[in-house]
Amino acid sequence: MAAWQTRVHALAAARNAVILAHNYQAPIIQDVAHHVGDSLALSRIAATSDAETIVFAGVHFMAETAKLLSPAKRVLIPDQAAGCSLADTINADQLRAWKAEHPGAVVVSYVNTTAEVKAETDVCCTSSNAVDVVRSIPEDREILFLPDQFLGAHVRRATGRTNIHVWLGECHVHADISPSDLVESVRANPAADLYVHPECGCTTSALWLAESGELPAARTHVLSTGGMLDHARRETSRQVLVATEIGMLHQLRKANPTTDFQPVNPKAACPFMKMTTPEKLEACLGDPSLTRGYEVDVPADVAARARQAVERMVAIGNPGSGE
């Protein structure tokens, strides 16, 4: 694959393009990218890059976010059909109807949403700053939190607020990392630490295990993908169980080769993330006159309103990790 990587880098240089790969991409895609990370961090890196073209190896809403933050740049995605089961749980019409049922409520949208949904949002949040964003809203204001029900439940627990209405959406991959998967993994590996993404259906069980003492609280960590990577760099435990999409293991193992990172559910692979193949990535970087089918754009009026929701989040404080 060395020859393929050389070709891809040569095409990127010729097109003045920067290649971004999400943590959940296949290892071969991660290894050829100029930058690997979560969607928001990657989009912010691209916005400061001198590159004229952004190639986003991820899912569609991520490429849209890159376009929001780099409106003058060309944004390409290797497969336009790479969607997101979480983002697809709510559209702009559904959000407008929900807002009509709760006039005056503040809409907080996770970054894992389409640009059209962000345009109907008051302020965005990431998995690492969702609690801070909600705490910045006056306690007497109702909140509509969307679209992830598990992240919403985590925010409710952390803030103690009872006036948060949570959309019943979920990432199918994270939802399938079940409480039983978690309990079985912890009991089979009693000396291991635990990293759990707040989108997971097993987050409550992880906290219960910590509260019961079966897994010491000091070894139980609810973290965004960026938080997992930061924690992995200073990890001293011999083994860590990881509850998130399995593509994340590649970056964790690179960050800390001395710790044994194992998935709570080894089948937790996102089919949309794996739609980016070496062949598609190379084709995406081909002759610019032939690659219009890879381009992602956002209507100017939608982009302007969506960008405001992201900027309000940044104004509250460090947005940290996107997912």
Side-chain angles (χ1 to χ4, degrees):
M1 281 297 177
W4 171 76
Q5 290 186 342
T6 300
R7 287 201 309 273
V8 167
H9 287 154
L11 284 170
R15 306 287 178 258
N16 191 13
V18 60
I19 304 171
L20 312 176
H22 190 270
N23 290 312
Y24 296 163
Q25 289 287 300
I28 189 173
I29 303 298
Q30 294 186 39
D31 288 344
V32 80
H34 297 115
H35 302 282
V36 181
D38 67 77
S39 66
L40 183 61
L42 290 173
S43 293
R44 297 179 83 192
I45 288 170
T48 62
S49 168
D50 293 332
E52 297 175 354
T53 298
I54 299 166
V55 178
F56 210 123
V59 296
H60 201 273
F61 82 79
M62 297 179 179
E64 285 186 335
T65 303
K67 186 65 177 179
L68 294 182
L69 300 186
S70 301
K73 296 180 180 180
R74 190 179 187 208
V75 178
L76 307 177
I77 187 169
D79 193 321
Q80 290 275 10
C84 171
S85 61
L86 177 57
D88 287 348
T89 61
I90 188 167
N91 59 38
D93 287 339
Q94 289 171 311
L95 178 51
R96 282 188 285 266
W98 199 28
K99 288 165 66 174
E101 294 172 4
H102 300 275
V106 179
V107 179
V108 179
S109 291
Y110 189 24
V111 291
N112 294 36
T113 47
T114 65
E116 288 188 342
V117 167
K118 288 183 178 72
E120 296 293 331
T121 294
D122 293 305
V123 58
C124 285
C125 73
T126 67
S127 58
S128 59
N129 76 354
V131 171
D132 290 337
V133 167
V134 167
R135 282 179 174 155
S136 75
I137 299 167
E139 292 188 4
D140 61 345
R141 294 289 301 277
E142 276 190 304
I143 294 173
L144 303 183
F145 188 95
L146 62 105
D148 190 83
Q149 60 181 310
F150 300 115
L151 181 58
H154 173 66
V155 170
R156 274 180 174 158
R157 275 193 303 270
T159 63
R161 290 181 66 147
T162 58
N163 59 349
I164 303 177
H165 305 280
V166 178
W167 190 259
L168 296 180
E170 63 182 29
C171 162
H172 294 170
V173 175
H174 281 107
D176 284 346
I177 304 175
S178 68
S180 60
D181 289 333
L182 180 73
V183 171
E184 289 173 10
S185 294
V186 167
R187 290 177 177 168
N189 302 277
D193 277 26
L194 178 65
Y195 295 178
V196 181
H197 194 283
E199 283 183 39
C200 287
C202 63
T203 305
T204 300
S205 296
L207 296 174
W208 172 79
L209 286 170
E211 290 170 4
S212 70
E214 183 164 353
L215 182 63
R219 288 175 24 216
T220 306
H221 311 282
V222 179
L223 301 164
S224 63
T225 54
M228 288 182 183
L229 195 55
D230 289 341
H231 211 284
R233 293 188 180 105
R234 58 180 187 273
E235 185 62 71
T236 57
S237 297
R238 294 180 62 184
Q239 185 180 52
V240 174
L241 303 174
V242 182
T244 192
E245 208 275 353
I246 58 174
M248 188 67 207
L249 295 168
H250 185 58
Q251 288 300 309
L252 296 175
R253 289 164 177 165
K254 287 177 69 174
N256 185 345
T258 63
T259 294
D260 178 24
F261 294 96
Q262 291 297 324
V264 168
N265 181 347
K267 296 181 180 179
C270 174
F272 295 113
M273 284 288 183
K274 303 309 185 277
M275 290 175 73
T276 298
T277 63
E279 295 77 16
K280 290 176 183 176
L281 179 59
E282 186 172 354
C284 181
L285 281 161
D287 184 342
S289 66
L290 302 176
T291 59
R292 288 293 171 189
Y294 299 100
E295 191 157 4
V296 173
D297 204 358
V298 180
D301 59 328
V302 172
R305 290 185 290 135
R307 195 177 301 114
Q308 284 184 337
V310 175
E311 290 171 348
R312 290 186 190 114
M313 171 187 67
V314 174
I316 290 169
N318 183 2
S321 171
E323 296 82 42

